[in-house]
Amino acid sequence: MLGRLAAQRFREIRQVFRQIPQAPRVFSTALNYHLDTPDNNPDLPWGFTEANKAKVKEILSHYPSNYKQSGVIPLLDLAQQQHGGWLTVSAMNEVARIIEVAPIRVYEVATFYSMFNRTKVGKYHLLVCGTTPCMLRGSRDIEDALLKHLGVKRNEVTKDGLFSVGEMECMGCCVNAPMITVADYSNGSEGYAYNYYEDVTPKRVVEIVEALRRGEKPPRGTQNPKRINSGPEGGNTTLLGEPKAPPCRDLDAC
Amino acid sequence: MASSLLRLARRSRQAYPSFLTPLSRPFASDALVETKPGEIGMVSGIPEEHLRRRVLIYSPARTASQQGSGKVGKWKINFVSTQKWENPLMGWTSTGDPYAHVGDSALCFDSEEAAIEFAQRHGWDYRVKKRHTPLLKPKAYADNFRWKGPPDTKN
Amino acid sequence: MTVLQACEIAGVDIPRFCYHSRLSIAGNCRMCLVEVEKSPKPVASCAMPALPGMKIKTDTPLAKKAREGVMEFLLMNHPLDCPICDQGGECDLQDQSMAFGSDRGRFTETKRSVVDKNLGPLVKTVMTRCIQCTRCVRFATEIAGVQDLGMLGRGSGEEIGTYVERLMTSELSGNVIDICPVGALTSKPFAFKARNWELKGTESIDVTDAVGSNIRIDSRGPEVMRILPRLNEDINEEWISDKTRFFYDGLKRQRLNDPMIRGPDGRFKAVSWRDALAVVAEVIHQVKPSEIVGVAGKLSDAESMMALKDFLNKMGSNNVWCEGNGPSPNADIRSGYIMNTSISGLEKADVFLLVGTQPRVEAAMVNARIRKTVRAAQAKVGYVGPATDLNYDHEHLGTGPQTLKEIADGRHPFSSTLINAKNPCIIVGAGVFERNDKDAIFSVVETIAESAKAVRPDWNGLNVLLLNAAQAAALDLGLVPESGNSIESSKFIYLMGADDVNLEKIPEDAFVVYQGHHGDRGVYRANIILPSSAFSEKEGTYVNTEGCAQTTVPAVPTVGDARDDWKIIRALSEVAGACLPYDSLTAIRSRMRTVAPNLLNTDERQPAIFSYSLKPESRQEMSTVPFGTAVENFYMTDSITRASKVMAQCSASLSKK
């Protein structure tokens, strides 16, 4: 019996190690130089929508008028939301024109931050947290389940253009690990949503994907029905009453 | 060597008045140490046609492709010797000028005066080129973050 | 004043990669770490301000360990390219790792590699070798003014590039080759041609434009291998333009090496010098003195122009001029044709008015200086001329002389800027010399200078930006023609390297002698060709646009049977019976001393003493023709650049307006 347990454990460990070539640990999502494609080249015109132009003005009002360059990150974010989750070269050029800097400065910012996608992503960009706490709770299985179900590799878009899977850093839900985030680019920048789906299991994650494919909006937050946000299963075991007042020194002492 | 001594004797006879040859002043100290400009060239064995060269005295500038200034500050003599051609046998560079490499590889002076003195002693017609040194402008890292001025009130 | 600069003054050189004295401080290489007493960590000396009472230690074990550590990190991802890298032998990384690095490495992983970027036909990039010092990025943004390069990505995957495929079109792009401490950016025309220890450097002067940048011609035997800049704080600092740097391959093509006479069938036949000079002497005696014309070319040195003028004067003709000075040059008042502010003095100006000149293509180093002033002091620049791309903010005031009239009358909004300026600087381009209303334009400009108080005892802001290396010396020596249209009525024309003469104006039966080093445009009409030496083969005096006389030094031997220009004219004068009284360089220089003694004071700028107040009033009418561009193609301006393959590639791919 111990021998069987040992063999099973050995198989599990080997499986974990075999997973590594399957999911290549790529550290950046894209190249640091641009290759022209028919849907991403500097000749394609691009502009903010009318509603977004108002938002641009609002964003730029946060900064002095001769330091418009400070608004590059919110503007790039807005452009990314408007364009369906990724930035084309022409979008970056337009942002550069608005903040009155040379385009290369905007390219530098866009390549620095990994959340600026410079290649196409799906309408629902699924980001799986892969940092230590989530990994300990099985985020690799979540990622494998997603990739197998959708039939794509990491950072690839499905054929219908709806989903793509990427790895993300810790998003702060270590209590509710493992978790995924869905960046919802299906309604442009008005309907942009960035929702966490926590406490997922490989089965639940596939259900969420199918719900998204049908156009539903699954409830965000913890997917474990027995928990409320980050509380323990079955209700709180502490913090049951009003908290004690903070200690204060005896004001009448002297 | 003998010919140069003869040359020296001939020239010195012309230089000094005829009744006062150097040998008739046995204890005059200047006959032993003082060298008039150009005289050392005559005893050094240098062929005559190379005694009257035009040379340039300069201080080589720092190589632009590197930042190190270790070799800066030396003075060199440039014997304008461009008489080089490609040897038809092997393609090497041939020259007929005995001074082709001397300025670059052999002579190096620590100061302008030393170089000028050397050229004078050999009797060359020298011209000194000015040495350029960089200006030191005080810099500060804070200049990167200096206020860029008030906003334009145009728009 | 940073710690690094303080140590430099004290005589201690601290190793560095990203710090450059003419760029902003980045502080990202960390090679300059030194130990400062009472500091918990080593301090980046390039960024730390030097405070009073600091004790800086540069050779303690801490500093040495820091340097070894930094060197180890830099070499970790650096490819083992030394044998094939052009920077080998003059590489800062090689020298500093020998001097400051440890003797062994501990890296056993795989090195990262980076895709090479295409920056144009001049700069070869092997980005794997890049150590991300960002010197090129800072140079491109600050000094060249084109924001093309950037640092993309982060961490060990950082790449320097242009992101989209763009060529570096700046005219100063070649300087990144000098700036890059490793072999990431190297010279494409010089790739794999020579190692630096084989080359002999000769310090000389550049003649492609009127700036007179100080260069060092590196030659191997009889061949010029490359051209590097040389420090001269007053003129070009440490930079040279692309044209200066890469035009040397034109020195090997289209060279004239034998005297040739055009036979009756129209074809040239090589003859000996004796025959050629005899023919010229014979012809020159057959024509009347008033039909003799001499034109000095753009690249002529002062000695040869002196000889030409003397010889033609002896033959009885006074029609000698230099290309580019226009039909009626005014050589009387020196301040009317030189840059009175001096190139380094441009840094003190606070308002610029550019009239009919595009400094970016005419004199790239002057443009760099203007840009430096605009950046440092927020100087304002007003530009009158055709729309052009200057790499700094400027106001395009107008295109023609009417704008000048408006500014002079005070009707233009820019006039108030000029009047309120502390040090106004007006730069007139030498393209104005070719116009018929040149005197009118100059008098309007002088009125503007008067109202702006640009000409004062302590500051002379009225400048002329010349186009050719020979113009200033020609005007100093007095090469002024007697009549403006002497070519049409001439029978004997002596072109000394002059290729921009309008060949249609030469009458059919005129006898043309072309004395030059390249078979450019002039030879097509020449009857006799006399080969002369190029600037890299002769010792000649050139005066730059600010009036500083400098001499070139011969670096390579002359090609074929070519001789120095002035020696040809001296020989010709002897054969023609009108022997010139000088036969050595010293003698011709003493002749120059009688005419223009400032030409003998080399490397010292001679300011002009008298201002325009001596000039008589001009009664010319100003025409309404807008100003044109004097230099159409930056890369092809004279006979050597037109013969160069690299310049042809540049002008095809990098042509700018």
Side-chain angles (χ1 to χ4, degrees):
Chain A
M1 186 194 90
L2 279 173
R4 222 187 319 127
L5 276 172
Q8 193 187 8
R9 187 67 198 140
F10 186 59
R11 244 179 282 131
E12 278 173 32
I13 293 172
R14 256 219 304 220
Q15 211 177 19
V16 170
F17 280 133
R18 227 182 278 132
Q19 273 175 7
I20 294 166
Q22 263 184 357
R25 307 260 138 213
V26 187
F27 292 113
S28 78
T29 54
L31 306 167
N32 284 331
Y33 50 91
H34 171 74
L35 297 166
D36 279 340
T37 62
D39 56 348
N40 185 358
N41 61 62
D43 300 320
L44 287 175
W46 190 92
F48 280 111
T49 59
E50 286 308 317
N52 280 347
K53 281 204 184 114
K55 274 198 207 162
V56 164
K57 238 174 104 170
E58 195 270 325
I59 288 172
L60 287 178
S61 69
H62 295 195
Y63 309 102
S65 56
N66 56 340
Y67 280 94
K68 287 205 187 88
Q69 200 180 355
S70 317
V72 60
I73 295 180
L75 287 181
L76 279 175
D77 192 32
L78 188 63
Q80 181 169 286
Q81 292 166 21
Q82 177 184 312
H83 199 71
W86 62 295
L87 288 169
T88 51
V89 156
S90 30
M92 292 195 265
N93 289 343
E94 173 65 15
V95 171
R97 192 192 63 83
I98 292 175
I99 57 177
E100 292 161 15
V101 294
I104 185 73
R105 305 286 147 234
V106 175
Y107 301 150
E108 280 179 330
V109 172
T111 49
F112 188 92
Y113 294 103
S114 52
M115 282 181 84
F116 286 129
N117 306 310
R118 281 168 292 114
T119 50
K120 211 163 159 46
V121 298
K123 285 224 188 68
Y124 297 100
H125 190 49
L126 310 164
L127 295 157
V128 182
C129 173
T131 333
T132 327
C134 284
M135 190 209 81
L136 290 174
R137 296 275 298 153
S139 73
R140 299 231 177 126
D141 297 328
I142 309 284
E143 199 183 340
D144 282 343
L146 276 176
L147 292 177
K148 204 163 86 142
H149 177 78
L150 295 170
V152 288
K153 291 210 263 297
R154 219 198 253 186
N155 299 326
E156 238 182 55
V157 187
T158 54
K159 284 263 173 8
D160 49 4
L162 276 175
F163 297 105
S164 52
V165 180
E167 190 191 15
M168 192 59 186
E169 304 309 312
C170 176
M171 293 182 251
C173 308
C174 316
V175 183
N176 295 358
M179 54 87 71
I180 69 164
T181 298
V182 173
D184 183 347
Y185 294 112
S186 52
N187 291 328
S189 36
E190 293 82 28
Y192 175 65
Y194 194 78
N195 292 323
Y196 289 2
Y197 294 91
E198 305 152 4
D199 282 318
V200 290
T201 59
K203 195 165 77 69
R204 178 69 192 142
V205 114
V206 170
E207 281 171 30
I208 293 174
V209 164
E210 288 310 312
L212 288 171
R213 197 193 290 271
R214 286 192 296 272
E216 296 163 6
K217 287 196 194 333
R220 62 169 178 82
T222 179
Q223 305 294 307
N224 186 339
K226 296 197 212 100
R227 291 176 84 167
I228 304 177
N229 290 342
S230 43
E233 262 186 28
N236 280 5
T237 53
T238 59
L239 300 178
L240 294 165
E242 275 296 313
K244 231 171 44 174
C248 177
R249 64 182 176 86
D250 192 6
L251 294 169
D252 302 325
C254 46
Chain B
M1 188 58 188
S3 61
S4 42
L5 279 174
L6 280 171
R7 240 187 291 145
L8 174 62
R10 220 185 311 131
R11 292 254 163 88
S12 60
R13 237 177 281 132
Q14 291 165 2
Y16 291 89
S18 51
F19 59 91
L20 206 66
T21 60
L23 295 171
S24 74
R25 294 190 294 166
F27 298 111
S29 51
D30 48 90
L32 293 171
V33 273
E34 184 182 304
T35 46
K36 306 247 181 339
E39 274 186 7
I40 207 170
M42 284 186 248
V43 298
S44 59
I46 299 172
E48 257 217 71
E49 59 268 18
H50 290 289
L51 280 179
R52 278 176 297 282
R53 280 188 86 101
R54 290 194 61 253
V55 299
L56 290 167
I57 297 181
Y58 70 110
S59 176
R62 177 185 67 100
T63 314
S65 41
Q66 282 195 278
Q67 243 62 48
S69 342
K71 287 195 199 165
V72 173
K74 305 266 187 264
W75 285 83
K76 290 207 158 144
I77 299 186
N78 180 356
F79 303 90
V80 280
S81 78
T82 56
Q83 207 195 48
K84 298 183 183 132
W85 59 88
E86 195 187 333
N87 192 311
L89 175 67
M90 288 301 295
W92 298 336
T93 304
S94 304
T95 178
D97 187 0
Y99 278 103
H101 69 93
V102 170
D104 217 19
S105 49
L107 289 178
C108 190
F109 302 94
D110 284 324
S111 68
E112 189 186 342
E113 291 78 29
I116 291 178
E117 210 197 299
F118 190 87
Q120 272 176 343
R121 271 188 288 147
H122 286 261
W124 295 321
D125 179 16
Y126 65 89
R127 209 160 173 225
V128 181
K129 291 189 96 167
K130 193 171 112 168
R131 180 180 166 200
H132 296 284
T133 44
L135 285 174
L136 192 94
K137 287 160 274 220
K139 295 161 76 79
Y141 188 55
D143 291 338
N144 295 0
F145 307 102
R146 237 187 342 184
W147 183 53
K148 293 189 184 91
D152 257 339
T153 48
K154 259 201 285 200
N155 47 357
Chain C
M1 173 73 80
T2 54
V3 169
L4 196 144
Q5 287 183 310
C7 290
E8 220 175 280
I9 298 178
V12 175
D13 244 344
I14 297 180
R16 81 293 292 256
F17 286 113
C18 68
Y19 172 82
H20 195 277
S21 53
R22 294 179 203 277
L23 305 172
S24 62
I25 299 179
N28 56 26
C29 73
R30 313 311 283 177
M31 191 66 186
C32 57
L33 295 173
V34 297
E35 184 181 346
V36 167
E37 215 170 80
K38 295 200 218 80
S39 161
K41 317 188 328 173
V43 141
S45 52
C46 64
M48 176 69 123
L51 303 167
M54 243 186 188
K55 291 199 189 28
I56 304 161
K57 305 195 199 147
T58 57
D59 60 351
T60 52
L62 176 70
K64 290 196 178 143
K65 196 157 171 270
R67 286 175 193 156
E68 284 176 18
V70 170
M71 196 45 84
E72 190 179 349
F73 275 117
L74 285 175
L75 291 171
M76 256 189 226
N77 266 325
H78 196 76
L80 306 172
D81 275 355
C82 288
I84 52 172
C85 177
D86 279 311
Q87 197 95 348
E90 49 182 17
C91 178
D92 267 342
L93 193 69
Q94 270 183 344
D95 294 347
Q96 287 184 22
S97 68
M98 287 300 290
F100 305 108
S102 79
D103 58 342
R104 60 205 72 181
R106 300 181 274 191
F107 188 65
T108 48
E109 325 293 319
T110 17
K111 299 194 182 216
R112 66 104 174 86
S113 66
V114 177
V115 147
D116 292 342
K117 315 289 187 300
N118 179 14
L119 292 180
L122 298 176
V123 181
K124 173 180 169 195
T125 59
V126 183
M127 299 320 285
T128 319
R129 301 176 190 157
C130 176
I131 55 171
Q132 292 92 25
C133 68
T134 60
R135 267 191 194 168
C136 52
V137 173
R138 283 175 281 144
F139 177 83
T141 33
E142 294 164 24
I143 299 187
V146 276
Q147 302 209 29
D148 273 347
L149 288 174
M151 177 71 91
L152 305 157
R154 69 170 185 241
S156 71
E158 274 183 324
E159 295 180 18
I160 298 261
T162 52
Y163 192 66
V164 289
E165 174 131 353
R166 264 179 85 136
L167 305 177
M168 277 190 84
T169 49
S170 165
E171 70 278 5
L172 296 176
S173 64
N175 292 302
V176 294
I177 298 169
D178 294 335
I179 276 202
C180 182
V182 296
L185 300 172
T186 47
S187 161
K188 216 180 236 189
F190 183 63
F192 307 129
K193 291 266 163 61
R195 283 294 187 196
N196 76 314
W197 58 80
E198 307 180 286
L199 304 173
K200 177 168 167 184
T202 312
E203 309 205 332
S204 177
I205 306 293
D206 164 54
V207 297
T208 50
D209 56 11
V211 174
S213 322
N214 288 185
I215 56 173
R216 197 182 81 173
I217 302 180
D218 280 348
S219 57
R220 181 175 61 184
E223 200 186 331
V224 172
M225 299 305 293
R226 68 174 176 181
I227 291 182
L228 285 183
R230 193 166 45 104
L231 173 75
N232 185 328
E233 284 286 352
D234 299 319
I235 300 175
N236 64 319
E237 296 180 295
E238 271 175 44
W239 320 119
I240 45 176
S241 70
D242 280 353
K243 189 166 51 169
T244 310
R245 192 183 284 266
F246 293 113
F247 79 117
Y248 57 85
D249 66 324
L251 289 168
K252 303 174 200 152
R253 291 185 74 235
Q254 304 258 68
R255 293 299 297 265
L256 302 172
N257 56 350
D258 280 321
M260 292 185 166
I261 300 187
R262 195 190 283 268
D265 58 346
R267 297 179 63 117
F268 279 106
K269 205 166 54 88
V271 293
S272 71
W273 272 107
R274 173 194 297 210
D275 295 335
L277 291 179
V279 169
V280 178
E282 202 186 304
V283 175
I284 203 172
H285 279 293
Q286 286 169 359
V287 294
K288 291 207 283 288
S290 59
E291 294 170 342
I292 301 179
V293 163
V295 186
K298 288 179 168 163
L299 309 174
S300 319
D301 54 329
E303 284 88 359
S304 35
M305 288 197 283
M306 182 86 260
L308 181 68
K309 183 164 161 58
D310 276 349
F311 173 57
L312 289 187
N313 284 354
K314 261 197 147 169
M315 299 309 299
S317 159
N318 205 3
N319 282 323
V320 193
W321 69 87
C322 176
E323 273 183 336
N325 280 339
S328 54
N330 190 340
D332 296 324
I333 301 172
R334 195 151 179 267
S335 63
Y337 59 83
I338 62 169
M339 180 166 273
N340 294 301
T341 319
S342 88
I343 299 179
S344 55
L346 288 174
E347 286 186 42
K348 300 198 200 74
D350 56 350
V351 174
F352 289 95
L353 174 63
L354 306 174
V355 178
T357 175
Q358 294 85 37
R360 198 168 176 197
V361 291
E362 289 175 18
M365 298 323 309
V366 171
N367 197 46
R369 230 27 121 125
I370 299 178
R371 182 184 154 80
K372 196 172 162 193
T373 320
V374 168
R375 255 192 105 235
Q378 275 85 44
K380 296 200 202 5
V381 178
Y383 167 71
V384 180
T388 178
D389 175 31
L390 294 173
N391 45 0
Y392 37 83
D393 283 327
H394 63 280
E395 271 179 57
H396 189 180
L397 304 173
T399 49
Q402 308 93 296
T403 328
L404 284 180
K405 201 93 187 53
E406 282 171 36
I407 299 178
D409 294 337
R411 286 179 277 144
H412 203 282
F414 196 72
S415 334
S416 54
T417 332
L418 265 179
I419 292 175
N420 296 337
K422 271 195 288 294
N423 290 335
C425 177
I426 306 172
I427 303 182
V428 185
V432 171
F433 285 169
E434 302 280 346
R435 290 172 67 105
N436 293 336
D437 55 345
K438 166 181 87 117
D439 291 325
I441 293 185
F442 269 100
S443 69
V444 170
V445 169
E446 277 147 23
T447 330
I448 300 178
E450 188 82 49
S451 60
K453 283 188 267 309
V455 183
R456 312 189 290 259
D458 61 326
W459 169 262
N460 190 337
L462 183 52
N463 305 309
V464 176
L465 182 61
L466 298 172
L467 295 168
N468 311 332
Q471 274 181 298
L475 290 172
D476 277 345
L477 290 172
L479 262 73
V480 171
E482 227 175 272
S483 70
N485 50 359
S486 35
I487 280 197
E488 284 91 339
S489 59
S490 61
K491 292 277 182 299
F492 179 91
I493 303 180
Y494 201 104
L495 299 174
M496 196 167 73
D499 290 301
D500 282 341
V501 171
N502 194 347
L503 294 174
E504 273 109 55
K505 286 207 286 184
I506 302 178
E508 283 294 321
D509 56 345
F511 187 84
V512 178
V513 179
Y514 183 81
Q515 176 181 316
H517 40 79
H518 272 78
D520 204 36
R521 295 181 195 149
V523 293
Y524 289 103
R525 174 62 187 84
N527 295 83
I528 276 205
I529 297 179
L530 301 174
S532 68
S533 50
F535 82 101
S536 53
E537 301 148 8
K538 65 180 169 190
E539 193 174 340
T541 309
Y542 289 90
V543 181
N544 74 350
T545 183
E546 59 170 9
C548 180
Q550 296 169 300
T551 47
T552 57
V553 176
V556 287
T558 54
V559 169
D561 231 351
R563 304 273 189 271
D564 284 352
D565 287 284
W566 68 268
K567 290 183 184 166
I568 299 175
I569 299 179
R570 163 70 177 79
L572 175 59
S573 72
E574 187 161 348
V575 173
C579 191
L580 293 170
Y582 34 78
D583 55 1
S584 74
L585 201 56
T586 343
I588 199 173
R589 284 196 172 144
S590 50
R591 164 73 183 126
M592 271 165 38
R593 179 181 279 126
T594 62
V595 176
N598 64 311
L599 293 177
L600 274 294
N601 287 355
T602 53
D603 294 323
E604 260 175 51
R605 188 184 160 256
Q606 299 288 322
I609 307 175
F610 295 101
S611 67
Y612 57 86
S613 50
L614 276 181
K615 267 168 70 164
E617 248 194 69
S618 133
R619 262 167 260 285
Q620 235 184 19
E621 272 301 310
M622 218 161 51
S623 85
T624 50
V625 174
F627 292 117
T629 43
V631 171
E632 286 297 329
N633 186 348
F634 170 68
Y635 294 105
M636 301 234 173
T637 48
D638 50 52
S639 53
I640 312 181
T641 46
R642 279 191 284 258
S644 155
K645 269 201 192 142
V646 176
M647 292 290 110
Q649 274 177 312
C650 289
S651 95
S653 51
L654 304 171
S655 57
K656 46 170 85 60
K657 291 186 285 292

